[in-house]
Amino acid sequence: QYEPLLSEKDQTRVEIGGNGGDGGSPLPDDLTRDSLELPELSEPELARHYTRLSQMIYGIDSGPYPLGSCTMKYNPKFTEDVAALPSAAVHPDRSERSVQGTLELMYRLQDYLGRIGGMDAVTLQPPAGAAGEFVGIRVAAAYHEHEGEGHRDEVIVPESAHGTNFASAALGGYDVVSLPSDEGGRVDLEALEAALSENTAALMLTNPNTLGLFERDIEEIAEMVHDVGGLLYYDGANLNALLGRARPGDMGFDVMHYNVHKTFATPHGGGGPGAGPVGVVDELAPFLPAPRVRENGASKSEPGYELFDPEHTIGKVHGYQGNWLVLVKAFAYIARLGDEGLADASAKAVLNANYLASRIEYEVPYEPFHHEFVASAGEQDAADVAKRMLDYGVHPPTTKWPEIVPEALMTEPTEVEGKDTLDRLAAAFNAVADEDDETLEAAPERTTARRIDQTSAARSPRLSWQALESEGDDE
Amino acid sequence: QYEPLLSEKDQTRVEIGGNGGDGGSPLPDDLTRDSLELPELSEPELARHYTRLSQMIYGIDSGPYPLGSCTMKYNPKFTEDVAALPSAAVHPDRSERSVQGTLELMYRLQDYLGRIGGMDAVTLQPPAGAAGEFVGIRVAAAYHEHEGEGHRDEVIVPESAHGTNFASAALGGYDVVSLPSDEGGRVDLEALEAALSENTAALMLTNPNTLGLFERDIEEIAEMVHDVGGLLYYDGANLNALLGRARPGDMGFDVMHYNVHKTFATPHGGGGPGAGPVGVVDELAPFLPAPRVRENGASKSEPGYELFDPEHTIGKVHGYQGNWLVLVKAFAYIARLGDEGLADASAKAVLNANYLASRIEYEVPYEPFHHEFVASAGEQDAADVAKRMLDYGVHPPTTKWPEIVPEALMTEPTEVEGKDTLDRLAAAFNAVADEDDETLEAAPERTTARRIDQTSAARSPRLSWQALESEGDDE
Amino acid sequence: MHGSDATGSPYAPHTDDERARMLEAVGAGSVDDLFDIPDAVEFDGEFGIDARSERETRRLVRTILGRNDDLTELLGRGHYGYYVPSLVDHLADRSEFLTSYTQYQPEISQGFLQALFEYQSLLVELTGLEVANCSMYDAATALGEAATLAERVRDTSGHRVLVPDLLLEGRRSTLENYVAGTDLAVDTYPTDDANVDLAALEELIDEECVMVYAENPTVRGTIEEGLESIGELAAERDALFALGTDPVALSLLQRPADVGADVVVGDASVLGLPTSYGMGLGLFATTEDYLRQVPGRLVGASEDATDRRAFTLTLQTREQHIRRERATSNICTNQAWVALRTAMHAAYLGPSGMVDLAERGVTRAEDLAERLDDLVGATAPVHDRHHLREFVIRVDQPAPAIADDLEKRGFAVHVVGDHELQVCVAGVPDERIDPFVAAFREVIR
Amino acid sequence: MHGSDATGSPYAPHTDDERARMLEAVGAGSVDDLFDIPDAVEFDGEFGIDARSERETRRLVRTILGRNDDLTELLGRGHYGYYVPSLVDHLADRSEFLTSYTQYQPEISQGFLQALFEYQSLLVELTGLEVANCSMYDAATALGEAATLAERVRDTSGHRVLVPDLLLEGRRSTLENYVAGTDLAVDTYPTDDANVDLAALEELIDEECVMVYAENPTVRGTIEEGLESIGELAAERDALFALGTDPVALSLLQRPADVGADVVVGDASVLGLPTSYGMGLGLFATTEDYLRQVPGRLVGASEDATDRRAFTLTLQTREQHIRRERATSNICTNQAWVALRTAMHAAYLGPSGMVDLAERGVTRAEDLAERLDDLVGATAPVHDRHHLREFVIRVDQPAPAIADDLEKRGFAVHVVGDHELQVCVAGVPDERIDPFVAAFREVIR
């Protein structure tokens, strides 16, 4: 089962320049390193190494993956084919006239996203959701500055929000004002009233929120925020609940990001890359990152496209245009599903969450939820529950968050699971619910690795094979 | 671990035509079936089904695969890319002028193979090695017929030859004369003398033979066969031993087939497809299958290609031109390696076989062998040895054949294994060599399925899910 | 990257040091010492084949194949260019499927065996026959195997195999080769609109006949209307009835078992493969009666030592590696991976998708024929029958010139007579139909 | 094929019957009942996006992207078009890698964690620094993160970040955004042949400075000769020395640890990705001293309950999902799969292949510069320095017009001055060099 590190298979030191004696280096020694020592392996050996590594990973094609707020959808295979088209592989410094295809695809995707979110203008540049949040924060700052409101230094974030909201606001230099939930798990309007002030730059909201609850008072919230001159930011992580049924733009949000690796099924890739396009209302469009894409109006019959810098652009948040290949996949997904497919995805995502919740023995304190729900492991430790679920061959939910639910099991099955799979998943929940703490603490037992010691990993970090080797030397 | 059959996941019956009541069928009922009942599953479900199935298969990227006479090489990934080019997907009935690329590639591959085998003319049509043998047999028959020697009705095949040799000769209508080996494991010249007659159509030989031994007397053998008016056929299964060091054409062979899925690294695909091009000397070229490819001489600067029927062609052995996509991969492999790469492959294949044999405890009675050797399991049952080797995570050798070696372990590591892997493989051999019969008979224990009952499978065949269901009904 | 810039095989992992140690272990001074080849037959020349980098090799193949014209193919005849879902490519390309050997060690091959078992089951449902093998090479070789099966299972001294006069040359010629070593001879029966001429067949079929072969749809795209009669005629004369067809046709047309077919052959790769210059997948199904005479591999269900269901190759005593010259066929390497792809494609479609695909083969052919028939100078379909996918057009102008002109405009069609063309709609994208009709209108003027 | 012809999502497996039973189980009459959206914000419009079949969607994207010109790119600057071996595509595309989530459940993610651990180790060897993270987005964002790291770890009250005057606009602008919420300001130091002007830098660097950033090779392809001096200057002033580079350059050029670099950033995707319109992989390495201030994910070795070596994400208390507004960065989703590809590509090359690739970047640039220099009307390289991959050419004619003409002939180059072009040889196939020189000769006449 164990697969050696590449470095345990081979280490070859290549001497460089005069040092190696072959004198073959085209550079003087003082501009080069002395040597390079890395594994030197053949293609068949590498094929086996990475095949073996892949076998030690649970992916979406392995089974259900109900991580709350992560929207682990099936990733359609054909989107890989379109991203692999040779015509997609172009250099970012190409002249605009030589990449009309790329610009057209971006233009169309901007348009699609605008319609889906009810936004007037979209940038595709942010390479991830958090980068999208940061763009939103920077756009808000630039807007307020432009309006002569540069003093606004607070961003309000509900306690139950994604951690990136806090971090992105902080990276933008804002003080973060944390907002408690009301008893129903939603924004506490009184607390909001108290938090809002002339210093409020923005309120960041997820809707439905991380409990899966729709913020019913969204219109009032928007009005309150706007009344103090603040902006309303929509965190798109949970957009898969609403496709075709509600749009952030219609709810009063001024700026939002889209997680295409969640809502639009681009693969998560073991952590990334994703993409976090940002949509804004007209008023904020001049502040979006540069450049954006527009039609150049050169020809009526065959439209051409060009890049342009928004008037008051915040500049760039990525060296070029973000994660282009991911954007191609997202475009293909949206073009494949169309209106009805997108709406159906949300409908079934919500149906699945409700059905699954109805089948499990754990309590779900807050409802009516939409595409995800947060159950409570009660007396059990939620993290242990997750480890034990691994033994039943399924991926567990997100655990211990949001903290509003004790021992939270945050569960989002998405629309891609059928009834049989949901029943199997529920059976895994319920089997674990009936087990004792000892069993849970000993879990997992049937996985490639058994429970891994996180504490010692952090206490004495060994972050490279070099560190492991020098440790070996010490012994 | 167990993966249900597709039919256990779903069975949906679709009624056709008037029967279904929707009256949607475009055909009258008497021309249609009543209904169709098959699994109806979504793409995500199928992705998981086949991903799971793949996880229950040992492939060349899983580890060493030393099946004797099978030449299980690493299959270079890039050859899949070239075979997947849209320009490779053309209809077989296209006009010649519209498929110049396909014809050129075939022409070049014919040329490559001719050079490699020392043959004057090559057909790419046979879709597998056995089909190549059959072409050889049919070419021999047509040749003899043309020469007024239609009475020749015997094909001589060494006892240790591949089973297909016997079957292909028989399919061609020949009586098969089986030839014993001499004490050294090679063709017994006296026995050959006795077997040869005016009725001899051909002698089919593998060289090196299935023991890995080079038929040193090949020149004399060729002379003997030719003296009685017979043809000498080369079974290309073992060509990986000789690339760049010896050519069948130079040894006196008149006709040969190439197994591109062995020698030229096209993937075995769980049993196929392969391709079995056939090369012949000039004298036999007029009898090759139709059509072949040649330059059309239309333009000096840019050669064009055309199909033509050899003068006395035997006709066709495949509806079109054989396994085209496999031929593309073979061409790419040869073009990648070139002279030195091909010669190096054989050199290291032979080195690997010799090294591995030197590391294992089982006796290897015949030598000097080349790319493969046949060890004897001695008192152990070779099939049990193989089952037990599975428990050590490696693929076992071919067993119980050739019968000239008692409890044969026919082993061909190929050039793609490095020393470390060969050492690991040898360790598996040696571990099993030290184990008792009880352990061997209980093996395998660590595989997806334990030892499978072959006898009952054959005694009461259940060859479809329908058969399993009706069996279930009976119970 | 051993060797990728060196002169050896890029796929052999040996370092110089390893090679030296291995030579030492075997007691050889050099690799040359390991070869036992007499001087007289040693090759000391060169092939003259240059090595190339992976990138260069890909470019070479791309350049060569780039010389193929980009045509919309309306050619059909068992190779339809149905869209193969990306799912099939991605999953069949998993190296466990692609690179494994025949499943002689079933304990580590369960996944492939199950997939092939499912493929067999698909064909059992489609044909209504009890036994389907893992694959022959293609339709032509499957037909050849059907004839040798007929010879084996028929007690009569008969030697005739009857095939339609319009049988594709590739199939006929392959059949002739397959029966060349037997006592069989191939004879022809006449057709009417490509359908069997039943009266003529009844006269031709006699006790000498071991097999009658018919196709549905026919080579002209017409749907055969006399299948039951053929089945009855064959049964009366104790001849096998072999039917040529494919999985899409089988999804809609009469079930072979219902018309008395004893063997079903054809190209199953109409699902699973793009048009691949004729590369195929020989479908072969027959009744339980002939189980032990079936050519090729069979996967059966069994149990393992823990009594769990498991799959294995079975009835191998029919095969060449055991039975040698008495085997039911010489086939060894088959088309297993294509069968996997076909099964995947069929599973992707599901029964509703398969029926739909077939029904669209009827309606789209009707629609196109109607549009062409509306043109001055063309009549379509020529045959007053139902069609699946393909049909014949009569044109006033000489057909070969029209086909040439169409090719110049990017469309490939068949010439089947001085004034007859044959076209196929299957696999042709909807948006290519209008341009085809427009091109057709231009060229028949 | 549920839904692929229907109007719903083709990736939702529900049959009508299942949906009904599920609704019943949850006690809802319809799916609509499950939504809790106030009427006022319900969306009852349409997006106006048509659904398409998979085949049509592929054709749509192919058609759109087909409008990109097919140019030979001599553009460089961190995006080189090095040939990515097919191995990388096939293995990285295995769905276990491609579709898995961040490894928060390490017990079922060992394969990816190990691959990332190996990626980190690769960077440790290349940089000589002890700590490399799993990825930032790209070179620009990695530079931004380096600046915020510098702010966190520097005790001084300083607020200046010094960057070269020629810094690419994308990097500079991104950096400005990253420091917008801090007290930092970005200042510029002058360069000479794109190399650091050491004298000027020495004057500019003071106690206000928290970080000096330099690149090797420089944006003009020259090899920086003053790295050690920069390192010493920075160390004297207690400023961090951040170096921008990439894995291929690092294979040959001075090791960052040997010149006093505290942080190394850049685009590691020069290996592993084709040119992808700027999609990248932010390389981020630093010294052990700053370990607990590193942004992004880190994989560490540990043991499982059976004391076997195992890997896990570690030091997560630096990250946003735990530390929220006090995290070292807001990054969550990163570029893990690109890091996998980069590690695979590097492993394919091995140390000899990597050194070779870098050395050819020197020699091929020299060779091309010499050939262009031989032409009347061109001088190359303009800078009397050693170059890696890229160099500047002076032309007598106006540079923009020449670049336009080259593009018409199929070559993309940079204009860097009224009479200066910049070209890059890396990733340009050998057989495109002659045509480029020929085209260049034509257009400068």
Side-chain angles (χ1 to χ4, degrees), chain D residues 394-409:
Chain D
R394 183 170 300 119
V395 285
D396 296 345
Q397 304 293 324
I402 289 177
D404 282 354
D405 287 350
L406 282 172
E407 187 173 298
K408 290 190 189 105
R409 285 165 173 76

Side-chain angles (χ1 to χ4, degrees), chain C residues 31 52 90 148-149 229 252 256 258 350 410:
Chain C
V31 174
R52 293 164 181 84
H90 285 265
T148 68
L149 172 76
S229 305
L252 179 61
D258 296 338

